[in-house]
Structure formats: structure tokens, C-alpha cells
Amino acid sequence: MELLDIYVYGSPLLKRKTRKVGQLPDNFPQFLERMYATMYDDNGIGLSANQVGVDLRFFIVDFSLHDKNMGKEVFINPEILQREGVDVLEEGCLSVPGIREKVTREWKIKVRYENIQREVIEKEFEGYLARVIQHEIDHLNGILFIDKISPLKRSFIESNLKKIAVKGKTQTEPFSI
Ligand code: CO
């Protein structure tokens, strides 16, 4: 399967809020398979649409990489309804390769989203899974985890970010499904 291009830091598409998903295109299931293949290739646990250049509000996860009892899931038009508690943990991102930083997030969240059958789901997540979902919803709102660290820490990684942005700045064209 042909992998998708991952849009990296510096691409304007990662800084824009994505569009709400309306009717899904016929080839959506096939496109998701390509997204999963791209995510696994980079050992990711989550991947948002705009990380592959698609201006739509959805992301994929494979929680089985963290918890064997869970699996693949698509979150369409997700919104966080409630947030609770605090948790600090190191994060990375396929769009910011080679950089890991501690990020403060809520411990527990309640999310409303549509699944692949377009059923509206309301569900609570906590700990690591809540963190992944917050990270991906941030992507859909044009926010990267490095936007949430202190200016001092950010200054330490600025030269690495500039190197990543050399590629990112060329990724200006959206990818259409
Ligand atoms: Co990310």
C-alpha cells in the first residue's frame, strides 16, 4: 500500500483549524487503511487528518498498541465536553520528528464524536488514552504539543524545529481524498 506523506512542523496546514466532516467520500474506508499503514510505519498510536494534509475534522487511533483489550477507532467531528484532573507526561508527534517534551494535560475527559457508522458517541477516557485524544483534537484545532511547552524549553529546541520546518514549509498543498 502506498503510504501517505506526513505533513511536518512548518506546514501551514498544521496551524489551521480543520473543517467539520459532512458526507464522507465513497473511498473513505480505503483512505483510512492508508492512514493506518502510514501511522504504523512510523510507530504512531494516533494520526489526525491534517497530519496527512486533509482539511477535515477526524483522527484515527489504535489503542491496542497501549491496551490489548482495545483497538482501532475513528473519531469524526470530536469535541471535548468535560475535563478533569491534571497529568504530566512526555509526548512526541509524527509531525515533529525527533522531539519529545513533557506536556501538561487533563487526566480525564468526556468526548463526543461520531464513529465510522456516523453514530454519535459520548465516552469518558482517562490517563494515556485521554492524553492521545487531547493531542489529536489539538491537531484538528491547529495546535501542536510544542505550542504547550514553556518559552524557555521551546527556545532549546528552536534550532531543531527550524530544520524540520525546511520540509514543512514546502507542504502547502492540501491532500484531497
Ligand atoms: Co501529533
Side-chain angles (χ1 to χ4, degrees), residues 120-132:
V120 178
I121 313 277
E122 281 188 17
K123 209 160 150 183
E124 287 185 347
F125 296 88
E126 52 181 46
Y128 189 70
L129 304 183
R131 172 171 297 273
V132 173

Side-chain angles (χ1 to χ4, degrees), residues 51 93 135 139:
Q51 284 185 277
C93 177
H135 178 115
H139 271 304

Side-chain angles (χ1 to χ4, degrees), residues 148-161:
K148 303 177 90 89
I149 63 176
S150 71
L152 179 66
K153 282 192 172 168
R154 175 86 181 222
S155 70
F156 293 148
I157 60 170
E158 207 54 57
S159 65
N160 286 336
L161 289 177

Side-chain angles (χ1 to χ4, degrees), residues 17-24 28 49 55-60 74-81 110-116 118-122 133 136-137 140-141:
K17 193 171 172 173
T18 46
R19 280 188 305 126
K20 206 170 173 195
V21 178
Q23 199 185 341
L24 290 170
F28 193 67
D55 181 21
L56 285 174
R57 194 172 179 78
F58 74 91
F59 66 86
I60 59 167
V74 185
F75 288 70
I76 298 170
N77 296 328
E79 298 292 341
I80 296 177
L81 303 177
K110 186 175 184 182
V111 193
R112 181 195 292 144
Y113 61 99
E114 296 163 45
N115 63 13
I116 189 73
R118 304 304 297 269
E119 296 159 335
V120 178
I121 313 277
E122 281 188 17
I133 292 167
E136 299 309 329
I137 292 179
L140 299 178
N141 291 330

Side-chain angles (χ1 to χ4, degrees), residues 58-73:
F58 74 91
F59 66 86
I60 59 167
V61 294
D62 187 345
F63 287 151
S64 70
L65 301 170
H66 178 75
D67 181 341
K68 288 266 176 291
N69 299 316
M70 301 188 81
K72 298 204 280 189
E73 200 160 358

